[in-house]
Amino acid sequence: MSSAYASDTAAAASPRPQTASEALQALADGNARYVANAAINTDHSAGRTARSEGQQPFAAIVTCADSRVVPELIFDQGPGDLFVVRVAGNFINEDGLASLEYAAAVLGIKAILVLGHSSCGAVSATIKSIHDNTLPPGHLPSLVNAIRPAVYDVMAENPADLLAAATAQNARLNAQKAETTGPILSDFHTSGKIKSVAGVYEIATGKVAIL
Ligand SMILES: [Zn+2]
């Protein structure tokens, strides 16, 4: 292989996004390819040597640990393109903030997408916990307590689909947290170098809706 990037067609078609809007567009374009089953980032051995020298992901994805939610596939990106922070229920705790601060200040990401998904077990467990007025066993209350504010927000509106509404609100609240938490992330957002958005991944269709 003469080039460090064997997938030259994909690399030429998709130069690294330089702005927040370019980064979000690249994610949207990649998701459209994924939905159409027309992925171009399929050669995962390409660029291994170049990647050993460093990383320059263009976006951070905060998403659920759910096995059906696979950011590199969903957005048709290759190794080194996405900085992924995962925890069941896709909320941002102190460790998540630190991870995103590193991605912003050191790696130069241009966008943060907090991605909820359909049929999320963590959000379902939180709704059940509130309805039953009980806490799940073990360390699960930690997840439930983190997701609870989103459920309370939408319960007042009595939505037809509480799970979907709470999933969307949880993504929104955490995108706001990424945007407003100082000092590092808030500065990057104020200066326009990074934009944070919320989205929901629909498992049945493969589509990501930006909220
Ligand atoms: Zn989930």
Side-chain angles (χ1 to χ4, degrees):
M1 207 62 68
S2 60
S3 166
Y5 290 94
S7 188
D8 285 328
T9 310
S14 311
R16 183 177 187 269
Q18 298 298 311
T19 65
S21 57
E22 285 179 12
L24 293 171
Q25 188 61 50
L27 294 176
D29 291 347
N31 181 240
R33 292 193 300 272
Y34 172 68
V35 170
N37 204 24
I40 58 175
N41 284 292
T42 53
D43 183 353
H44 300 147
S45 66
R48 274 182 181 150
T49 306
R51 285 196 296 276
S52 71
E53 321 261 312
Q55 59 168 326
Q56 271 200 311
F58 70 85
I61 312 292
V62 178
T63 195
C64 188
D66 193 294
S67 63
R68 300 164 294 182
V69 182
V70 188
E72 283 81 1
L73 296 180
I74 291 171
F75 297 106
D76 186 27
Q77 300 299 318
D81 290 333
L82 302 178
F83 185 91
V84 181
V85 178
R86 300 185 73 152
V87 66
N90 49 268
F91 57 85
I92 302 173
N93 60 15
E94 289 291 298
D95 303 313
L97 279 173
S99 300
L100 292 172
E101 288 173 346
Y102 175 77
V106 179
L107 303 179
I109 56 157
K110 307 300 177 196
I112 297 171
L113 170 57
V114 180
L115 187 65
H117 68 96
S118 58
S119 308
C120 183
V123 178
S124 292
T126 305
I127 292 171
K128 184 174 188 310
S129 167
I130 292 170
H131 277 160
D132 298 349
N133 198 25
T134 58
L135 282 172
H139 292 79
L140 285 162
S142 161
L143 295 184
V144 165
N145 288 332
I147 300 167
R148 195 189 299 267
V151 180
Y152 283 142
D153 277 356
V154 294
M155 273 177 81
E157 299 157 12
N158 203 20
D161 187 337
L162 178 58
L163 175 58
T167 296
Q169 179 65 2
N170 184 50
R172 280 193 207 96
L173 289 178
N174 283 285
Q176 287 165 14
K177 185 170 185 175
E179 182 176 342
T180 57
T181 301
I184 297 173
L185 291 176
S186 58
D187 283 356
F188 274 95
H189 285 80
T190 303
S191 66
K193 289 179 181 161
I194 292 180
K195 188 173 180 191
S196 283
V197 298
V200 174
Y201 172 63
E202 187 64 48
I203 291 172
T205 63
K207 287 184 184 170
V208 171
I210 300 298
L211 303 173

